Amino acid sequence: MALPAPQGRRSSTFGRLLRHGFTDPSAAGELLDAPALAAVRDDSVLLEAFGGTADPDLALRSLVRLVEALPEDEQQALLSTLVAAKPLRDRLLGVLGASEALADHLARHPGDWRSLVTYESADLHPTTPEFEQALAEGIWGEQGDGRPRADALRAAYRRALLGIAARDVCGTTDVAEAAAELADLATATVRAALQISYEEAPGDAAVCRLAVIAMGKCGGRELNYVSDVDVIFVAEAKDGVDEAKALQAATRIAARMMQLCSDNTVEGTIWPVDANLRPEGRNGPLVRTLSSHLAYYQRWAKTWEFQALLKARPMAGDLGLGQEYVDALAPMVWEVAERDNFVSDVRQMRRRVVENIPAAQIERELKLGPGGLRDVEFAVQLLQLVHGRSDATLRSATTLDALAALAAGGYVGRQDAAALDAAYRFLRTLEHRIQLFRLRRTHLMPEDEAELRRLARSLGLRTEPVDTLRREWRWHAREVRRLHEKLFYRPLLDAVAHLEPGEARLSAKAAGHRLEALGYADPVAALRHLEALASGVTRKAAIQRTLLPVLLAWFADSADPDAGLLNFRKVSDALGKTPWYLRLLRDEGAAAENLARVLSAGRLAPDLLLRAPEAVALLGAPDGLQPRSRAALEQEVLAAVGRADGAEAAVAAARGVRRREMFRTAASDVIGAYGTEFSPADTDHGHSVDAVGSALSDLNAATLAGALRAAVRAQWGETLPTRFAVIGMGRFGGHELSYGSDADVLFVHEPREGADEQEAAKAAHAVANEMRRLLQLPSSDPPLLIDADLRPEGRTGPLVRTLASYAAYYRRWSLVWEAQALLRAEPVAGDPDLGQRFIELIDPMRYPAEGLGDEAVREIRKLKARMESERLPRGADPTTHAKLGRGGLSDVEWTVQLLQMQHGWEVPGLRTTRTREALSAAHAAGLIATEDAQILDEAWVLAARVRNAVMLVRGRPGDTFPVDGRELAAVGRYLGYEDGLSRRPTDNGRGNEASGRSGEMIDDYRRITRRARSVVERLFYA
């Protein structure tokens, strides 16, 4: 009879077990006293080995189960080897302490412990051939005799899995090597299952060639312990066999192979074989021919399907056919980045994955959650697809290998790549250890403290293992989230994805040649700018090096890349030290492309921006390019005036607002004309002209309101002794201003009750003159020139009149041209009631009852003819002068205005100051035929666009096409003639007007305006 152990010994054993990591020393002591372990009960080396496992209690329980399951003669062999051979001890106890599922397997198949004894070099890193041999022995060899093939396959698979797990938990292999071994074992398993399928259906096997293509993690040789094995099947008929018959046979074989791997038997299951990545998914045929696959991918495949093909590799069956499949589809994979919306499609797919995670699990998701494995994989795959077109070194199916290649090629910073590599390895190790425990498919971090402790110890964490594990996991997840956002969500990749092959990165050696190829006229100067922007080790230079390859291509898409780069350098010099500027360009893809378009489209917008570079923030704001209403502008201007000290400071503030808003309008105009990845080019040119005209008119009206308030407040406080209104005339009143237009106005006043009329008149004149002076003071802001020459008696008449004086003049002296000029009159600033009464005064003149008499019509025609002969500048080409030339603005406007004066009294729609509105109303009233109205509208819009384009490009007003080749090309780019425009100077330094599409543009202008002139001659001069 055995005597109980002395109390001192029991206490000593209890303490030793605690020190070696046992959480239940009492139960562990009883197990050590069990007969099965009697021979090794006091072995200190064995106890030390238990302490090195993830879960010493589990390892000890599992060892007892294994020993008890062995025959008595085998028990001693196991225990002796366990004590004597450290490799076996570490491997076996490491597996038993980390995997309850593999411990169960050993309890069912106790003899499999011998598979862990071998320690040859080939055993350390087996590949597919070694696994194939092991499986073949387990299925068709002695071990498989008398067993169903499916059961033998499962037992052999688990036996091979024991070795992978042992090498993994002992550190013989790292996580990437373990994942590769798991993929190789999966390959060998599928091949074995396919061979069994052939055995079961030799007739089917005889009529078809079937290839299994590995996809997903298996294809990338980075498989988990428990994961679906993603595959695609491709088949061909053997010689002389009907294709339909062969496909049916191949489908039966493929389905049986999948069943052999996924069915549950007495030996459990292996893993599901998932063929849902095939064309049309689960709705499509399981097996297709190679030509059918190609037809689908050429016509129907979505972006994500090509992304999935990154991992494709021949796996089993007819490997030659499998390689044909991969070779045929590879070119399509590397062209997918040229698809419209490629990057946004990939990002959207990633967002959908995150959105589908249950809210209760998202913080525990190692794979799919933010900062998880999928973030790393998506970022790497996106960069591969973007840059792999031109760099074959990036075309690896394995995530970590591809990441290393991206870093080696300079596409990812080395520190970023190292951090991503470390985080990915840590997260994959966690995933492996979690799945290994019960061999169940899961990607969730456990919540149970005991499971967390085992998981932490499996990673070698011994001091405060659970808290340390949580800290490390959260830190790595934060790093992945940070780097994933940096690499994946920076919308600048949208632009890189649309570069031509070879443009994806910038190197100093190739920069000069590349700049020439991109159309830079002075690559030496451009290289100087690049060196100034990107050289050095500062954060600013680092960000510039990220931005510049993309910006250079955007600049090259303009008529003047050199100007774009120079302007970018100027803006960067001015704003480079502000914390938000480069961050805005790096993080907001729209801002970077918008800025590139604006800086390379001409002089006006960059000049406005360089006077106050902080306005670049408008280019990244969601509504930054939307015009503001007149009310909002006036409110801001009046508030700025109210805060200012003195009239000059007040108007300077108002002009500052005007400059910023002019930049907003010009930037919006340029970006709308060019189009960007985020906003396609505006094809409604009439709308864009109207938008510019309205925005500039509203802006000038608000500025005049501010100048009026400043002039009044400086001398009279809040109240002037007379009511005062400013009436917009010409293009100002018609909401049709161009960038270089003056503000045509009339000033009207009306003395307040009790005020002295002379004092009131004197005050009104003083205010009008002060407004003109203030708005023309020397400043970095563009001046606003007030032109009052359309007033009664012109320059010789008084600058300001009372309403009664206007009434008297128009009643006695007014000429027909003055009534015509009043068609565009509209109040823009000052007393609104007085402005409205002025309109009521002039309406009977501009829309005379019963229309114009014959004499008045003749007078208008004579005046127009004289203007055509006298006002056209000397030497100007009448066929291309946008304002006064044949079929230009003046022709169309005079024709429309004649209709307004003749019929405005009876057609309310004609009572508008806007040319296009009046033309539309005339057409609606049947006064002009549809085709004629369309011809006039097209010509007017084109001429207005030419004037706007010239001002945007040259920075100064002009009514004719530029002579300089680059300027002409820039005007053409704005007008939509972007392809083939000549940017080369001629011998005299100026471009050839007729070269490229520049000649086509001018020919089109002449054709459109010639047709308009024909309509004008028929309607106006008839």
Side-chain angles (χ1 to χ4, degrees):
M1 185 176 90
L3 297 174
Q7 186 66 32
R9 178 185 163 195
R10 185 179 300 276
S11 175
S12 172
T13 301
F14 188 93
R16 287 172 62 204
L17 292 173
L18 276 177
R19 288 194 298 275
H20 283 95
F22 287 89
T23 58
D24 189 351
S26 298
E30 292 178 5
L31 288 171
L32 286 171
D33 287 337
L37 298 186
V40 295
R41 173 189 303 135
D42 297 319
D43 191 283
S44 60
V45 173
L46 185 61
L47 191 60
E48 188 76 26
F50 278 121
T53 65
D55 188 340
D57 300 87
L58 175 63
L60 178 56
R61 287 197 306 271
S62 301
L63 179 62
V64 172
R65 290 177 62 204
L66 170 59
V67 173
E68 290 177 343
L70 287 167
E72 287 190 16
D73 57 333
E74 284 285 311
Q75 291 181 0
Q76 188 57 44
L78 167 61
L79 294 174
S80 298
T81 310
L82 194 65
V83 171
K86 186 178 190 304
L88 173 67
R89 185 167 60 246
D90 290 344
R91 288 177 169 198
L92 179 59
L93 296 185
V95 169
L96 294 177
S99 179
E100 191 175 70
L102 289 178
D104 291 343
H105 171 80
L106 284 169
R108 286 196 310 274
H109 302 277
D112 282 357
W113 71 269
R114 292 187 177 276
S115 67
L116 299 179
V117 174
T118 309
Y119 204 69
E120 303 299 329
S121 58
D123 179 59
L124 292 180
H125 298 290
T127 56
T128 301
E130 287 79 29
F131 287 126
E132 283 190 275
Q133 182 180 349
L135 292 181
E137 291 171 357
I139 298 168
W140 293 282
E142 184 179 341
Q143 292 174 314
D145 282 349
R147 307 192 67 191
R149 292 282 194 248
D151 289 343
L153 174 63
R154 281 153 178 69
Y157 174 82
R158 289 282 195 278
R159 191 177 307 116
L161 193 63
L162 271 174
I164 295 176
R167 289 185 291 275
D168 182 12
V169 298
C170 293
T172 306
T173 56
D174 65 18
V175 66
E177 292 169 327
E181 289 186 15
L182 287 165
D184 289 345
L185 175 57
T187 299
T189 304
V190 168
R191 291 179 181 179
L194 194 60
Q195 185 60 41
I196 295 171
S197 301
Y198 289 156
E199 283 183 353
E200 294 176 352
D204 286 342
V207 298
C208 67
R209 299 168 59 203
L210 175 64
V212 185
I213 309 299
M215 303 288 286
K217 283 186 164 55
C218 186
R221 297 188 72 238
E222 49 191 13
L223 198 61
N224 302 329
Y225 277 100
V226 186
S227 175
D228 291 356
V229 171
D230 295 312
V231 301
I232 286 177
F233 296 105
V234 57
E236 296 291 342
K238 288 189 176 179
D239 291 343
V241 178
D242 177 71
E243 184 178 281
K245 179 181 178 182
L247 283 176
Q248 290 172 358
T251 299
R252 288 191 291 270
I253 291 172
R256 177 55 179 155
M257 183 274 287
M258 296 172 69
Q259 185 181 27
L260 282 166
C261 295
S262 58
D263 272 0
N264 264 299
T265 73
V266 294
E267 290 290 346
T269 185
I270 303 176
W271 21 245
V273 176
D274 189 342
N276 287 337
L277 291 177
R278 68 186 183 269
E280 301 180 77
R282 64 184 60 189
N283 296 320
L286 181 64
V287 182
R288 289 175 183 256
T289 62
L290 178 56
S291 61
S292 177
H293 277 286
L294 288 175
Y296 174 84
Y297 282 104
Q298 287 167 346
R299 188 168 184 185
W300 303 111
K302 296 181 174 63
T303 298
W304 70 264
E305 294 177 278
F306 290 104
Q307 184 180 355
L309 287 171
L310 276 172
K311 306 287 188 182
R313 67 176 173 89
M315 181 187 198
D318 191 319
L319 297 181
L321 177 59
Q323 193 60 51
E324 288 181 49
Y325 171 91
V326 172
D327 292 343
L329 290 177
M332 299 185 207
V333 173
W334 301 112
E335 291 169 0
V336 70
E338 298 172 8
R339 284 185 160 205
D340 291 340
N341 304 317
F342 157 67
V343 175
S344 59
D345 284 350
V346 177
R347 288 190 318 212
Q348 184 58 39
M349 183 169 64
R350 173 64 187 127
R351 292 192 192 101
R352 283 198 298 269
V353 170
V354 175
E355 289 166 1
N356 289 331
I357 302 172
Q361 297 180 2
I362 194 166
E363 294 300 324
R364 296 169 54 211
E365 260 285 354
L366 289 172
K367 178 181 177 181
L368 303 178
L373 291 161
R374 190 57 58 87
D375 276 351
V376 181
E377 292 160 359
F378 264 57
V380 169
Q381 289 166 22
L382 176 65
L383 289 166
Q384 283 183 278
L385 291 170
V386 169
H387 299 295
R389 290 170 294 162
S390 56
D391 190 342
T393 66
L394 305 181
R395 300 178 183 180
S396 171
T398 306
T399 300
L400 291 178
D401 290 347
L403 180 59
L406 287 164
Y411 303 103
V412 176
R414 291 189 181 277
Q415 289 185 340
D416 290 347
L420 268 183
D421 182 282
Y424 189 75
R425 289 174 184 274
F426 178 83
L427 294 172
R428 283 303 302 271
T429 303
L430 278 182
E431 184 183 43
H432 277 193
R433 298 290 194 271
I434 292 169
Q435 292 184 351
L436 180 60
F437 179 52
R438 292 191 177 95
L439 288 181
R440 292 179 183 170
R441 182 183 178 187
T442 179
H443 312 287
L444 296 177
M445 279 288 283
E447 296 177 297
D448 180 75
E449 286 288 315
E451 292 188 26
L452 287 169
R453 180 177 182 273
R454 183 187 61 255
L455 183 59
R457 285 177 58 87
S458 75
L459 300 178
L461 305 177
R462 295 291 187 266
T463 305
E464 298 182 347
V466 173
D467 290 341
T468 305
L469 172 64
R470 284 176 171 146
R471 281 197 304 272
E472 290 200 14
W473 169 43
R474 288 168 183 158
W475 185 84
H476 282 296
R478 280 195 303 271
E479 277 292 278
V480 170
R481 191 179 297 116
R482 177 182 69 85
L483 293 169
H484 168 259
E485 289 169 355
K486 179 178 180 181
L487 298 175
F488 184 77
Y489 279 105
R490 298 300 186 239
L492 289 177
L493 284 176
D494 288 344
V496 180
H498 288 277
L499 292 178
E500 294 298 321
E503 289 188 345
R505 60 173 178 164
L506 183 69
S507 67
K509 183 177 181 181
H513 297 300
R514 179 168 186 246
L515 289 168
E516 288 179 342
L518 287 171
Y520 287 80
D522 189 351
V524 175
L527 281 172
R528 262 197 325 270
H529 301 322
L530 292 179
E531 183 178 3
L533 288 163
S535 62
V537 295
T538 64
R539 178 176 174 275
K540 171 183 170 183
I543 297 175
Q544 291 282 22
R545 285 194 292 272
T546 301
L547 294 170
L548 279 168
V550 181
L551 289 168
L552 286 173
W554 280 328
F555 294 148
D557 189 37
S558 72
D560 196 347
D562 300 81
L565 181 56
L566 173 61
N567 289 328
F568 179 68
R569 179 180 176 183
K570 290 178 179 178
V571 173
S572 295
D573 288 345
L575 292 177
K577 293 182 180 179
T578 59
W580 55 266
Y581 167 63
L582 289 175
R583 187 170 65 242
L584 172 76
L585 299 185
R586 182 194 62 193
D587 298 352
E588 300 290 341
E593 186 174 3
N594 288 346
L595 180 62
R597 298 302 186 198
V598 167
L599 293 181
S600 57
R603 295 181 182 176
L604 178 64
D607 286 351
L608 292 169
L609 179 60
L610 289 168
R611 290 170 182 172
E614 65 276 4
V616 75
L618 297 175
L619 301 176
D623 59 348
L625 298 178
Q626 295 300 312
R628 300 174 66 202
S629 67
R630 181 178 294 193
L633 291 169
E634 188 169 323
Q635 183 180 17
E636 180 182 3
V637 167
L638 292 179
V641 168
R643 291 190 298 268
D645 184 15
E648 293 188 1
V651 173
R655 289 173 67 180
V657 173
R658 178 172 178 265
R659 179 246 310 130
R660 183 198 68 211
E661 295 302 319
M662 280 188 70
F663 171 73
R664 188 197 304 269
T665 303
S668 177
D669 192 12
V670 166
I671 292 163
Y674 273 49
T676 68
E677 196 64 29
F678 300 87
S679 175
D682 189 353
T683 57
D684 186 349
H685 302 313
H687 174 269
S688 63
V689 168
D690 291 343
V692 170
S694 294
L696 294 174
S697 300
D698 289 344
L699 179 53
N700 282 357
T703 307
L704 287 177
L708 175 58
R709 174 72 60 86
V712 170
R713 194 181 62 173
Q715 187 171 348
W716 292 278
E718 295 301 320
T719 305
L720 195 65
T722 185
R723 295 181 178 85
F724 190 93
V726 183
I727 310 298
M729 299 289 287
R731 300 193 176 283
F732 189 12
H735 299 261
E736 295 165 355
L737 285 177
S738 62
Y739 295 103
S741 299
D742 295 344
D744 292 320
V745 300
L746 299 178
F747 296 110
V748 58
H749 80 103
E750 183 178 68
R752 297 185 183 276
E753 292 181 9
D756 181 79
E757 291 190 5
Q758 288 189 344
E759 288 299 319
K762 183 177 179 182
H765 278 79
V767 166
N769 282 313
E770 180 68 355
M771 288 176 65
R772 298 173 80 181
R773 183 188 74 84
L774 291 171
L775 290 170
Q776 296 178 56
L777 287 172
S779 167
S780 61
D781 296 315
L784 175 55
L785 301 178
I786 295 178
D787 187 341
D789 290 352
L790 290 176
R791 65 187 182 270
E793 303 178 75
R795 296 182 182 179
T796 62
L799 181 62
V800 187
R801 289 176 181 262
T802 64
L803 186 62
S805 176
Y806 275 107
Y809 175 85
Y810 289 141
R811 188 168 55 250
R812 288 189 67 183
W813 309 108
S814 176
L815 300 176
V816 67
W817 73 264
E818 291 178 296
Q820 182 183 354
L822 290 171
L823 286 169
R824 318 287 289 276
E826 181 178 282
V828 294
D831 189 301
D833 178 67
L834 178 59
Q836 183 56 39
R837 284 189 285 131
F838 180 86
I839 297 302
E840 292 170 358
L841 167 68
I842 65 173
D843 271 352
M845 292 180 53
R846 54 184 182 174
Y847 310 123
E850 305 302 325
L852 290 175
D854 292 343
E855 184 61 31
V857 172
R858 282 194 295 272
E859 182 64 27
I860 289 175
R861 288 171 177 163
K862 284 167 56 178
L863 187 61
K864 174 73 167 73
R866 190 169 76 245
M867 186 180 71
E868 289 178 8
S869 63
E870 296 177 359
R871 293 188 59 189
L872 192 69
R874 185 184 299 273
D877 184 348
T879 67
T880 58
H881 197 280
K883 182 178 181 181
L884 302 175
R886 182 190 67 191
L889 294 172
S890 178
D891 268 2
V892 177
E893 289 164 1
W894 280 63
T895 301
V896 172
Q897 288 164 12
L898 180 60
L899 291 171
Q900 287 181 281
M901 296 184 75
Q902 288 177 315
H903 302 281
W905 65 279
E906 60 179 347
V907 180
L910 290 173
R911 299 170 204 161
T912 175
T913 63
R914 303 176 188 234
T915 301
R916 296 186 70 222
E917 278 189 11
L919 180 58
S920 178
H923 170 252
L927 302 175
I928 183 171
T930 298
E931 184 180 5
D932 290 345
Q934 291 173 344
I935 289 172
L936 292 180
D937 186 70
E938 182 183 18
W940 189 91
V941 168
L942 178 57
R945 294 185 72 217
V946 168
R947 294 186 88 206
N948 284 343
V950 169
M951 182 66 182
L952 284 167
V953 168
R954 304 182 69 193
R956 59 182 187 272
D959 293 313
T960 60
F961 288 96
V963 177
D964 178 83
R966 286 220 167 207
E967 291 180 349
L968 183 63
V971 169
R973 183 68 174 85
Y974 175 88
L975 296 178
Y977 296 83
E978 67 271 22
D979 297 323
L981 283 171
S982 174
R983 295 184 295 212
R984 299 180 180 277
T986 57
D987 293 339
N988 62 2
R990 295 185 172 184
N992 179 359
E993 176 187 83
S995 63
R997 294 198 67 193
S998 299
E1000 180 186 346
M1001 171 180 64
I1002 294 173
D1003 287 345
D1004 285 348
Y1005 179 87
R1006 287 172 171 153
R1007 174 179 52 80
I1008 291 168
T1009 55
R1010 182 173 62 247
R1011 294 175 66 203
R1013 179 64 181 193
S1014 296
V1015 175
V1016 169
E1017 289 178 349
R1018 182 158 34 84
L1019 296 181
F1020 184 83
Y1021 286 111

